[in-house]
Amino acid sequence: EVQLVESGGGLVQPGGSLRLSCAASGFTFSSYDMHWVRQATGKGLEWVSGIGTAGDTYYSDSVKGRFTISRENAKNSLYLQMNSLRAGDTAVYYCARGALGFDPWGQGTLVTVSS
Amino acid sequence: QSVLTQPPSASGTPGQRITISCSGSSSNIGSHTVYWYQQLPGTAPKLLIYNNNQRPSGVPDRFSGSKSGTSASLAISGLQSEDEADYYCAVWDDSLNGWVFGGGTKLTVL
């Protein structure tokens, strides 16, 4: 069964940092693009970042220069290093496999940026 | 303000057919395939339609997608109470060099 499990969310102060992880299982992780998508409470979905199989990276304008996506194929893991966090970054962060569309999605991890 | 425009809400009665629109531009829908996602209350999104009109295995054929020019649509026929959810369209955008989502449409089954 294909499964994605996020971790690393929590409460952080504005300006702080947090590192999210996504553990993948049930498929050949190195063969797929991977993505992070977030959703603020009561709001819509927002694509955050993606990484290709060759390590090429893509970011939304809202996080460029502050967030870094990476992957470790040997550990079937995806990461999102988030620096200079702002209140507007508060959201549930989902990791998703990039196949034909984002499929599947993890259950999400909540990041709260507040003093 | 989303790059892709969806109606914020839609509604229908059981058995009815409804459509949800997604309007974009030449840099996104006009150039790339459209995806649709269903998000049931309190759960993660799920892929519903890929490549404009293809259904992943397990998605009922009551769900269908179409695309014309810079707009796309999701149709749900034989509406059921369990279809009550938020629906999002998504597509790659060449100008932004990233993925964009519509603002989402909340479907209510009356």
Side-chain angles (χ1 to χ4, degrees), chain A residues 39-50:
Chain A
Q39 185 174 36
T41 302
K43 302 297 184 182
L45 301 171
E46 179 189 14
W47 175 79
V48 172
S49 181

Side-chain angles (χ1 to χ4, degrees), chain A residues 4-16:
Chain A
L4 299 171
V5 179
E6 302 94 336
S7 60
L11 175 64
V12 60
Q13 292 188 340

Side-chain angles (χ1 to χ4, degrees), chain A residues 37-81:
Chain A
V37 178
R38 69 185 180 184
Q39 185 174 36
T41 302
K43 302 297 184 182
L45 301 171
E46 179 189 14
W47 175 79
V48 172
S49 181
I51 185 168
T53 57
D56 45 317
T57 57
Y58 305 86
Y59 299 93
S60 68
D61 287 344
S62 61
V63 307
K64 202 172 294 181
R66 300 188 298 123
F67 290 11
T68 302
I69 190 173
S70 61
R71 64 190 302 162
E72 192 167 355
N73 291 337
K75 292 188 175 181
N76 291 335
S77 292
L78 175 72
Y79 306 102
L80 186 68
Q81 177 65 43

Side-chain angles (χ1 to χ4, degrees), chain B residues 83-96:
Chain B
D83 298 334
E84 198 161 272
D86 293 325
Y87 293 86
Y88 297 89
C89 57
V91 65
W92 177 265
D93 188 290
D94 288 331
S95 296
L96 297 173

Side-chain angles (χ1 to χ4, degrees), chain B residues 67-107:
Chain B
K67 175 185 136 175
S68 178
T70 59
S71 292
S73 291
L74 172 71
I76 310 174
S77 60
L79 206 57
Q80 299 180 3
S81 58
E82 54 260 41
D83 298 334
E84 198 161 272
D86 293 325
Y87 293 86
Y88 297 89
C89 57
V91 65
W92 177 265
D93 188 290
D94 288 331
S95 296
L96 297 173
N97 202 34
W99 288 89
V100 291
F101 284 92
T105 298
K106 184 175 184 63
L107 174 63

